[in-house]
Amino acid sequence: MAYHGISTNLILYLTRKLHQGTVASANNVTNWSGTVWIMPILGAYIADAHLGRYRTFMIASTICLMAMGLLTLVVSIPSLKPPPCLEVNKGNCKQASKLQLAVFFGALYILALGTGGTKPNISTIGADQFDDFHPKEKAQKLSFFNWWMFSIFFGSLFATTGVVYIQDNVGWSLGYGLPTIGLAVSILIFVAGTPFYRHRLPRGSPFTRMANVIVAAARNWRLPLPNDPKELHELDFEKYSVERAFRIDSTSSLRFLNKAAIRTGSWKLCSVTQVEETKQILKMIPILVCTFIPSTMLAQTHTLFIKQGTTLDRSVGSHFQIPPASLSAFVTISMLLSVVIYDRIFVKIMQRLTKNPRGITLLQRMGIGMILHIMIMTIASRVERRRLYVARENGLVQNGGEIPLTIFTLLPQFMLMGTADAFIQVATIEFFYDQAPESMKSLGTSYSMTSLGVGNFLSSFLLSTVSHITKNNGNGWILNNLNASHLDYYYALIAVLSAINFFVFLIVSKLYVYKAEVSGSINVLADALKERN
């Protein structure tokens, strides 16, 4: 609720209160969101290497609460905003001063720093509560990330309906104050459960361990690998048992890295398990790259989709106006329904057909989401073409006035985005958690958030580049006046990029080899499915 209470309506605060243009405000939203989602790499490192997940989360939560309090204060003090202005072209309004911008964005980026420690660790702490060696708990864990995302979007639903309405119609002070109070309550609830949690201790820097493997393999590149993997260096089972760690057998993938475990006296030996952990992290990188474009698409729901809504008829009855950002609630509603249907119905049907405890593989689930993304941007382009046609027919191109077309025209692209999220977003976070080594779960989880961060930065780059090129050619696709723009072309471009990305993903996913389970419980579940059928 706290994150979406800020991000969903941020573009309207920047344009209406700080008087920024369409491209500048959209880029500021995506740059901030990109930072929010890229910071988990730092939070994951601190948790896995030094403080542990619980302590890192608690410190980061405190920073988030302080930042939310500061943001609430900033939007409440008139001197920290330029005077009101009703001009359609915000370039004609008095711009925010450097001090006003510094204070507002300073609070935003402190919040981004705090979320870097909360986002990769809270979901990981949740998944850690299930025992991989217990078949019943393993089965529950397979549904955990579905319900994890359900809870996130339940908070988002309140943010995109109640909080957004309050921001638009009551005031930004209360609109930011409520998420701040909600965050404080959630931290208290989390702390109350502390005695019941299973805690994982940090095991040192994952980056250092991986670097040691890569350097050792490079130093030993001339040495031949032994025919028997058992001749490679490995620690005794007792060592892993004492540290409550998992030992991993040698595999043939990325075989060059196995040379890091060759017994020599010239370099610090790496164990086979350390080598395999490095392989598991590196093997996920091509999949990670393929999630950047889908994350770029997701950024549109908080920027250009919302700006489109401001140009349409938002009336419901004679007195009520729908806040443009409230359309994001339909993403949430669609996602909530889709997760329930997926977990309770779709998975059970597919289990009978595939004998897979998950129903379908995580990469197959991601692929379905990518196909939906191509459909979404194709539909968005057609809808925008219709909106521009109505603007021309009513002579509203130059003055940028409200178009006599209901805001619910945008509903299909928002609803489909929620369905796509139920596939790709849930699968992404579960895939990177599941496929990461046991000692690097926070780092693995941060991969899914890094995807969102890079996607937002990529959205900023794409928007700025397309805007600059098309303006220079005399027919700008993205202008402050959307009625004179060509967002339909821009959406079509994203649809093409999504299609290209999907075909690359097909190749990468075909080559990917899932890691072996550290316990036999998944096999027990699979055997139970076969016996049941």
Side-chain angles (χ1 to χ4, degrees), residues 31-349:
N31 286 338
W32 174 70
S33 295
T35 305
V36 166
W37 293 111
I38 211 78
M39 288 302 290
I41 284 285
L42 176 62
Y45 165 76
I46 293 172
D48 284 343
H50 301 291
L51 300 180
R53 292 159 195 164
Y54 179 85
R55 274 190 264 179
T56 303
F57 175 79
M58 287 306 304
I59 294 171
S61 294
T62 305
I63 295 173
C64 284
L65 187 59
M66 291 169 56
M68 287 294 295
L70 180 58
L71 272 173
T72 304
L73 191 63
V74 168
V75 300
S76 304
I77 300 175
S79 61
L80 293 177
K81 302 184 289 286
C85 177
L86 300 178
E87 292 279 348
V88 174
N89 185 358
K90 296 303 179 183
N92 298 329
C93 300
K94 182 178 180 181
Q95 301 298 297
S97 68
K98 290 182 179 179
L99 177 61
Q100 291 168 337
L101 292 174
V103 174
F104 181 75
F105 283 106
L108 274 182
Y109 280 90
I110 292 173
L111 179 61
L113 177 65
T115 55
T118 59
K119 289 187 180 296
N121 291 303
I122 184 60
S123 59
T124 311
I125 291 171
D128 284 346
Q129 305 314 303
F130 301 91
D131 186 353
D132 276 323
F133 291 90
H134 192 287
K136 183 179 178 181
E137 290 195 27
K138 181 70 174 181
Q140 293 170 333
K141 188 174 183 178
L142 296 182
S143 289
F144 169 73
F145 285 102
N146 288 329
W147 297 107
W148 167 255
M149 291 300 291
F150 183 93
S151 69
I152 285 177
F153 276 83
F154 193 77
S156 170
L157 180 61
F158 179 72
T160 53
T161 51
V163 172
V164 163
Y165 179 81
I166 290 169
Q167 289 170 350
D168 274 14
N169 297 280
V170 179
W172 292 90
S173 300
L174 184 60
Y176 277 29
L178 282 178
T180 304
I181 295 170
L183 179 59
V185 171
S186 72
I187 294 171
L188 290 175
I189 293 172
F190 177 81
V191 171
T194 299
F196 307 102
Y197 300 145
R198 289 169 173 162
H199 296 273
R200 305 271 181 168
L201 298 175
R203 287 191 54 206
S205 169
F207 298 111
T208 301
R209 295 206 301 278
M210 289 190 294
N212 285 341
V213 169
I214 294 170
V215 172
R219 289 173 65 95
N220 295 342
W221 73 277
R222 293 178 182 273
L223 300 178
L225 280 169
N227 294 325
D228 186 355
K230 293 181 180 179
E231 295 180 25
L232 296 172
H233 174 65
E234 182 56 288
L235 303 178
D236 295 332
F237 275 108
E238 290 75 13
K239 176 72 172 175
Y240 290 104
S241 178
V242 170
E243 295 183 358
R244 294 185 177 182
F246 297 95
R247 179 169 164 172
I248 309 174
D249 293 331
S250 180
T251 64
S252 58
S253 63
L254 298 178
R255 197 162 177 268
F256 168 76
L257 293 178
N258 289 347
K259 294 191 175 187
I262 295 176
R263 299 176 188 274
T264 67
S266 60
W267 181 256
K268 181 181 177 181
L269 278 175
C270 297
S271 66
V272 168
T273 294
Q274 187 177 345
V275 170
E276 292 303 317
E277 287 176 340
T278 303
K279 288 182 183 180
Q280 288 170 7
I281 290 293
L282 294 179
K283 284 195 305 182
M284 293 191 293
I285 292 177
I287 302 293
L288 173 64
V289 173
C290 288
T291 64
F292 292 164
I293 293 295
S295 296
T296 300
M297 279 196 49
L298 192 60
Q300 310 313 309
T301 60
H302 297 308
T303 54
L304 295 179
F305 283 11
I306 303 299
K307 282 293 291 181
Q308 279 179 284
T310 63
T311 69
L312 299 173
D313 179 11
R314 297 181 283 122
S315 301
V316 177
S318 56
H319 301 292
F320 184 74
Q321 290 271 322
I322 297 175
S326 284
L327 284 180
S328 296
F330 290 102
V331 177
T332 306
I333 292 169
S334 175
M335 197 272 183
L336 292 173
L337 291 173
S338 298
V339 164
V340 174
I341 294 170
Y342 183 91
D343 192 80
R344 300 287 90 185
I345 300 174
F346 181 80
V347 169
K348 287 179 171 51
I349 293 173

Side-chain angles (χ1 to χ4, degrees), residues 415-437:
M415 292 289 288
L416 273 175
M417 188 67 81
T419 303
D421 281 350
F423 282 91
I424 193 166
Q425 294 303 322
V426 178
T428 298
I429 190 170
E430 184 175 356
F431 174 82
F432 289 123
Y433 172 87
D434 184 75
Q435 294 298 295

